[in-house]
Amino acid sequence: MKKYFLPMGVIVLLLIGGAFYGGTLYAKSQTKTMMADRQAQFANGGGGSGRMGAGARSVGGFVAGEIVSLDKQQFTIKLSDGGSKIVLFSDQTTITKSVAGALTDLVVGQQVTTQGTANADGSVAVQSIQIRPDIPNSTTFNP
């Protein structure tokens, strides 16, 4: 019996060590996958608590700027970098301001912030539009 005790003990220790090593490799692969998912989510505008400045921005489905054209299903927002973004909306889109808003509250030249989903063609289908007061851009404001 003593003959088998030492080899069995060595085998058990090797199995425990192998299981521990395999577990660390698995945990490392899961961490890489979770980090890649978080980075992809952040790149698509779903992560972080970034602050919007006075200038227009477009990150994933979040778009802010000045309305330059408008029709019944979409409008175009001028971005602070000189670009623009087409924003798609429907009757189910929530429009907010200091009081409840409506589609008729949207006008060319107005500052808005939208939240929605970026489409493959570069447009954005929004679920909400917030009408913002006209705030001077920090680069053009002279007190």
Side-chain angles (χ1 to χ4, degrees):
M1 180 88 163
K2 282 189 172 185
K3 255 200 258 189
Y4 297 110
F5 183 71
L6 184 60
M8 289 299 279
V10 170
I11 290 172
V12 168
L13 287 175
L14 287 174
L15 287 173
I16 291 172
F20 179 78
Y21 180 71
T24 59
L25 289 179
Y26 176 76
K28 189 182 291 186
S29 73
Q30 292 301 307
T31 301
K32 287 180 182 178
T33 301
M34 287 187 328
M35 289 301 291
D37 290 345
R38 286 183 185 158
Q39 288 172 345
Q41 180 183 15
F42 186 77
N44 291 328
S49 59
R51 182 176 155 247
M52 290 294 290
R57 305 281 194 289
S58 171
V59 179
F62 189 81
V63 181
E66 178 184 339
I67 296 176
V68 293
S69 70
L70 171 69
D71 68 28
K72 293 181 181 183
Q73 295 178 335
Q74 68 183 28
F75 58 86
T76 303
I77 293 180
K78 181 175 83 173
L79 305 175
S80 63
D81 64 2
S84 63
K85 185 67 78 169
I86 295 172
V87 176
L88 310 175
F89 59 89
S90 69
D91 292 336
Q92 287 75 40
T93 301
T94 303
I95 300 173
T96 59
K97 56 183 182 179
S98 57
V99 295
L103 294 176
T104 56
D105 293 321
L106 300 175
V107 296
V108 172
Q110 189 167 51
Q111 295 292 317
V112 295
T113 301
T114 66
Q115 178 62 46
T117 306
N119 296 322
D121 65 358
S123 65
V124 177
V126 296
Q127 286 82 37
S128 68
I129 301 167
Q130 180 182 18
I131 298 171
R132 300 183 300 134
D134 191 17
I135 300 171
N137 189 326
S138 60
T139 59
T140 60
F141 181 68
N142 294 318

